[in-house]
Amino acid sequence: MANLKLAFFASKRPEAQQALPLLAARYGNVPEEDADVVVALGGDGAMLDTLRRRFTDNRPVYGMNLGTIGFLMNEYQAEGLPERIDAAERASLTPLRMFAVDIHGAEHRALAINEVSLLRQTAQSARLKITVDGRVRMDELVCDGIMVATPAGSTAYNLSAHGPILPIGANMLAMTPVSAFRPRRWRGALLRHDARVELEVQAPDRRPVSASADNQEVRDIVRVTVEADHTRRLTLLFDPGHALDERILTEQFAF
């Protein structure tokens, strides 16, 4: 791609900060609003930070791993970056929209790329009522928490909580409990991508619960609504053979 305009964003990690001026000197570094592609340097946190700024412009993001896990990133190489971007495969993601009401009646809205999660704030377990598409599916779940995860987020916190791994094209969401106590054997549910989930906190004054859209937290909530925001699309770029759907498939056979 001739005359490719790149914008670089680096996390605070020393490795990413060291790479930033070197790449900017080699390829130029325009403001994100003028870029054809935004290049994220760091780990998955840097990628998520960059993607959150793409909710309105949908510029494609190409990540290079200078962090720890880097599930959403490509291998770091300083050479041939425009050629790699030109040959990259695209993955399209749909974020989740969270609407939460706290005990004071205040309303909170946020978007999540990985998951919306509810977690107990104290030693007391959370007691939650689960409604899906207007129908009560569980009157009371006693647990440490629960999450609704996208396919992209299914390999993150969702996987740590023993939730299912979802292929990118599955058009599904994963609802996964965290340390469910009652019903003890409930492992969660797979939902359609257009499902509307309502989670109501029982006795929020005695058993306070927080809600998070990725890393955006609201405390002392009463109820939360979660659904996919199909008006927004995010585009990630991956080197051939290392696309996100391939990584997710590989993760399902990992030990």
Side-chain angles (χ1 to χ4, degrees):
M1 185 182 298
N3 300 318
L4 185 66
K5 293 184 291 185
L6 302 179
F8 291 93
F9 168 75
S11 72
K12 295 181 180 180
R13 294 182 64 93
E15 301 90 339
Q17 289 295 315
Q18 292 170 9
L20 177 59
L22 299 176
L23 294 171
R26 176 176 287 194
Y27 301 111
N29 188 15
V30 303
E32 290 188 4
E33 59 269 21
D34 298 328
D36 298 312
V37 176
V38 180
V39 180
L41 306 173
D44 288 337
M47 173 59 81
L48 292 176
D49 287 342
T50 306
L51 286 173
R52 290 189 190 100
R53 297 193 297 277
R54 309 276 74 78
F55 284 137
T56 55
D57 62 34
N58 193 28
R59 283 184 174 79
V61 180
Y62 181 91
M64 289 200 288
N65 187 27
L66 288 166
T68 50
I69 298 175
F71 187 81
L72 299 173
M73 313 298 274
N74 299 286
E75 180 184 357
Y76 176 78
Q77 291 180 3
E79 297 77 19
L81 183 56
E83 291 76 16
R84 292 174 69 187
I85 291 175
D86 192 33
E89 301 175 1
R90 291 178 172 240
S92 183
L93 307 181
T94 301
L96 294 175
R97 180 170 57 238
M98 179 184 81
F99 173 73
V101 179
D102 65 27
I103 60 175
H104 307 292
E107 299 178 350
H108 308 268
R109 293 173 172 82
L111 294 171
I113 298 167
N114 277 350
E115 76 279 318
V116 172
S117 58
L118 278 66
L119 295 172
R120 62 182 175 92
Q121 293 177 196
T122 67
Q124 294 273 35
S125 60
R127 295 177 181 265
L128 307 173
K129 179 180 178 181
I130 303 174
T131 302
V132 180
D133 293 331
R135 181 175 176 182
V136 176
R137 292 294 181 177
M138 191 173 293
D139 288 315
E140 185 178 74
L141 170 66
V142 182
C143 58
D144 283 353
I146 194 171
M147 74 189 76
V148 179
T150 66
S154 68
T155 56
Y157 187 20
N158 174 75
L159 181 58
S160 298
H162 306 290
I165 298 175
L166 302 178
I168 287 297
N171 286 329
M172 303 184 79
L173 302 173
M175 175 184 286
T176 303
V178 180
S179 301
F181 177 71
R182 188 181 302 119
R184 194 180 298 272
R185 294 187 179 182
W186 189 63
R187 297 296 182 90
L190 293 175
L191 308 176
R192 286 169 50 102
H193 67 96
D194 56 356
R196 178 183 174 89
V197 178
E198 298 175 58
L199 302 167
E200 184 177 345
V201 180
Q202 309 297 303
D205 54 336
R206 292 183 289 107
R207 298 173 179 270
V209 172
S210 67
S212 297
D214 291 340
N215 64 350
Q216 305 162 87
E217 185 186 36
V218 179
R219 297 179 72 81
D220 300 315
I221 62 160
V222 175
R223 63 182 179 274
V224 173
T225 301
V226 184
E227 58 187 334
D229 187 345
H230 292 287
T231 67
R232 305 174 192 267
R233 303 293 287 179
L234 301 171
T235 303
L236 282 71
L237 301 177
F238 292 96
D239 293 333
H242 297 277
L244 190 55
D245 54 354
E246 174 62 27
R247 296 183 183 200
I248 289 177
L249 183 60
T250 300
E251 190 72 27
Q252 295 184 71
F253 291 91
F255 293 93

